[in-house]
Amino acid sequence: MLSPAYDLTFYEYDPEKDPESYGVLLCDFNHGKPPMKPLYMGLGWYWYYHGTRYGAETLCLPTTHGWDSRFINGYPYITAIRTTEEERKLREPVFKEKIRPFIEDFNGVWDAYKTELLRVYTEAKRSRGLVEWQDIRKLSNHELLDFFLDFAYILNRKEGEIHFVMLVAACYLNGLFQQQWRELLGVEPTIDPRFARCTAGGELEHQAAMVARELWRLARRAVEMGLEGAFAADPRETLRELSASEKGRQWLDEYREFLLRDGWRCQRMHAYDTPAWIEDPSLALGEIRLLLPQETFAPDAERARVIREREATEAEVLAAVPGPRREAFRLLMRAARMAGYWSEDHSYYCDLYIGALGRWIVTEFGRRFAEAGCIDDPEDVHFLHPNEIRKAAIPMGRINLRPYVERRKKEWERNLTVEPAPFMGDISQAEAIIRSDPSLLVSAQHPIVREELRADLYGAAAAPGYVEGVARVIMTADGLAELKPGEILVAPGTSPAWMVAFNLIRGVVTDGGGAFSHAVIMAREYGLPCVAGCVEATTKIKTGQRIRVDGDRGVVYVLDG
């Protein structure tokens, strides 16, 4: 019997055939917990699912045709469509030519792509006369549907294809570097602190850090203008208080410019059901409040040390590599580091921007459908599929969408109570699957268990360092206001929406993610110990417990029960 997936048959899991065909499917805790809603699964995730295959075929990857994806109890499971040995031999020489530009100038390739993405997004808004969030209400039903169809089938596809050509290249280079590290140094790279140091400390500041820097600048500006007292209140009250004074209005003008440029980001990536900063200006105020006491921007304080450690470790590692292979190893190390930079740069132009545009359009459809009596609640739009929105958009008010909503909503609410299994199939095949398609490392994890360490949790990847402290379990980015300076963050995973937390914490532990995950990369940049891909961190650790994070060995200990 196939596992239901909200009427999206291509995601249904076959418990007999799928494990037989793929060996093992791994749960994507990083992006899929809590479970996604049907509209995002059928639209945003759909084009990412296409993008993995497009990227694999564009670069002619030797060992994979991209991902396959299933949903079980509402949670995404992913695996690789592995090539045959004959295919591998044929694809390898083509791949070597295709990957060469990325090795020689990774950022040059990316710069052209991100310029193209921003041009497409800007034109989609400009051609419809849209600037502010509320402007979308001016569109007629026909114009809104036209925007939705362009978004669903043109913008999403372009973003998904560019996104995954780059992601596949980045992950494959990182995977090749890991492979050579194992071969030449005889150590598992993902839990070798030298590997983390060699891939940290890039020369460029990525866009995620630039946005965090701008939040910090706005915080310092508020202090300079004597406005910090307004931030003690609830964020919505803060807005009211700032609006009541001339200095406050001056600060809000600067904040508005920031939101128009950088506010195209929802609280959760890979979902349309959480608000965007440009939609609700109170959201980013919580992050600015957290940064008010910070007199210096934390990464600036760490940057010189991280670069010094990286350069010293590079020299040590290169000295251990046999002479004839040293130059190729050095080039691959530099490309892997640039791939890490890209990983934190791309979310601004890819996941976050396209997600906010989707949120913008479907939120307006939800409002109109509820007003017209097609659904009971504007939020019910997230339980529809694109063709159902198309069906009801023009004869507005003549279609009853409740039968589609009610069944799927009930199923989603049941899925919220289910704790997902970490994998389906034969877990002994996980390592081979991940090595065949390193892009799985963004989402999947396979903890490296070493019983002799007697740890409570074992990670799939780590950033070096060692810390003991109080744990704070936070399940979604909108809970970051609970975070206290000096705590250790425990989360399902992190994304750019969690960026500000890295200015406050002393360490991080996550359920999901591998060596290429946001948590590991950011921890390396901030010089924080991190253990990622523990699977059960948010279940086994409770807020207030003291824990020890050992990023040098990739394990976590709970010190009090």
Side-chain angles (χ1 to χ4, degrees), residues 1 66-67 122 158 168 209 245 250 254 256 293 306 318 328 364 396 466 485 508 512:
M1 183 178 173
W67 297 4
T122 303
K158 179 175 276 295
V168 161
S245 71
Q250 186 183 340
E254 293 182 31
R256 175 180 170 276
V306 171
L318 284 170
E364 180 58 12
M396 184 66 73
Y466 174 98
V508 59

Side-chain angles (χ1 to χ4, degrees), residues 250-278:
Q250 186 183 340
W251 186 91
L252 284 173
D253 285 343
E254 293 182 31
Y255 181 53
R256 175 180 170 276
E257 290 302 314
F258 162 75
L259 291 178
L260 283 173
R261 185 184 62 246
D262 297 325
W264 295 90
R265 51 175 54 211
C266 295
Q267 287 294 84
R268 182 187 177 191
M269 288 203 314
H270 306 287
Y272 302 135
D273 61 348
T274 60
W277 286 5
I278 190 167

Side-chain angles (χ1 to χ4, degrees), residues 194-245:
R194 295 177 304 169
F195 180 84
R197 291 191 182 102
C198 284
T199 48
E203 290 77 10
L204 302 173
E205 184 170 65
H206 48 69
Q207 195 64 32
M210 289 184 195
V211 172
R213 183 184 291 282
E214 187 62 8
L215 288 169
W216 173 79
R217 188 196 68 78
L218 285 163
R220 298 317 302 162
R221 186 86 174 112
V223 172
E224 286 169 15
M225 298 171 79
L227 297 169
E228 63 267 43
F231 289 82
D234 171 85
R236 292 184 190 283
E237 182 56 36
T238 299
L239 282 177
R240 280 190 286 273
E241 194 168 329
L242 290 171
S243 302
S245 71

Side-chain angles (χ1 to χ4, degrees), residues 8-26:
L8 296 166
T9 55
F10 50 90
Y11 289 138
E12 290 176 349
Y13 174 63
D14 184 335
E16 293 182 7
K17 188 64 180 172
D18 285 336
E20 177 189 323
S21 298
Y22 296 115
V24 67
L25 296 92
L26 300 165

Side-chain angles (χ1 to χ4, degrees), residues 300-554:
D300 290 343
E302 290 294 327
R303 192 173 183 78
R305 182 182 64 79
V306 171
I307 291 175
R308 272 198 314 275
E309 286 185 354
R310 188 251 294 169
E311 290 174 345
T313 309
E314 271 182 2
E316 175 196 330
V317 167
L318 284 170
V321 173
R325 299 186 63 176
R326 193 171 295 149
E327 181 57 17
F329 188 86
R330 190 186 65 77
L331 284 174
L332 199 51
M333 179 161 31
R334 188 187 66 180
R337 187 162 58 248
M338 284 308 300
Y341 157 80
W342 172 84
S343 182
E344 294 312 310
D345 198 58
H346 86 283
S347 293
Y348 179 94
Y349 303 94
C350 294
D351 316 72
L352 292 168
Y353 215 123
I354 198 77
L357 289 176
R359 164 80 184 172
W360 199 21
I361 301 166
V362 304
T363 297
E364 180 58 12
F365 267 123
R367 187 185 71 80
R368 294 187 192 193
F369 284 157
E371 280 189 1
C374 305
I375 53 180
D376 293 325
D377 186 317
E379 292 297 304
D380 287 347
V381 73
H382 299 291
F383 297 93
L384 298 173
H385 292 317
N387 278 336
E388 293 152 5
I389 290 177
R390 187 177 188 177
K391 179 181 180 182
I394 298 306
M396 184 66 73
R398 300 184 192 179
I399 305 294
N400 179 16
L401 293 169
R402 291 179 185 80
Y404 302 117
V405 169
E406 287 166 3
R407 182 168 43 81
R408 294 174 197 152
K409 195 173 184 178
K410 192 172 178 182
E411 186 182 340
W412 180 79
E413 288 170 348
R414 187 195 68 81
N415 289 334
L416 270 181
T417 68
V418 174
E419 187 61 32
F423 63 89
M424 292 290 168
D426 178 6
I427 191 60
S428 70
Q429 297 192 41
E431 192 170 335
I433 294 279
I434 290 173
R435 287 185 185 179
S436 75
D437 190 338
S439 68
L440 290 167
L441 284 169
V442 173
S443 298
Q445 56 291 308
H446 176 46
I448 301 168
V449 177
R450 285 144 295 154
E451 299 286 357
E452 70 277 12
L453 297 177
R454 303 170 67 84
D456 293 293
L457 292 161
Y458 300 86
Y466 174 98
V467 67
E468 287 185 12
V470 176
R472 173 73 62 178
V473 181
I474 296 180
M475 299 303 288
T476 58
D478 54 10
L480 286 177
E482 301 166 18
L483 197 61
K484 303 285 189 302
E487 291 183 328
I488 297 172
L489 174 66
V490 181
T494 66
S495 68
W498 298 68
M499 181 80 185
V500 70
F502 288 81
N503 290 274
L504 305 174
I505 58 178
R506 296 175 63 205
V508 59
V509 182
T510 63
D511 290 336
F516 216 57
S517 63
H518 177 267
V520 171
I521 292 172
M522 292 315 304
R524 288 193 317 234
E525 298 296 331
Y526 277 76
L528 299 170
C530 168
V531 179
C534 300
V535 177
E536 296 179 294
T538 58
T539 306
K540 284 192 170 181
I541 300 173
K542 309 297 179 195
T543 291
Q545 284 184 315
R546 287 189 64 78
I547 63 174
R548 179 188 304 150
V549 182
D550 185 344
D552 290 342
R553 296 191 292 178

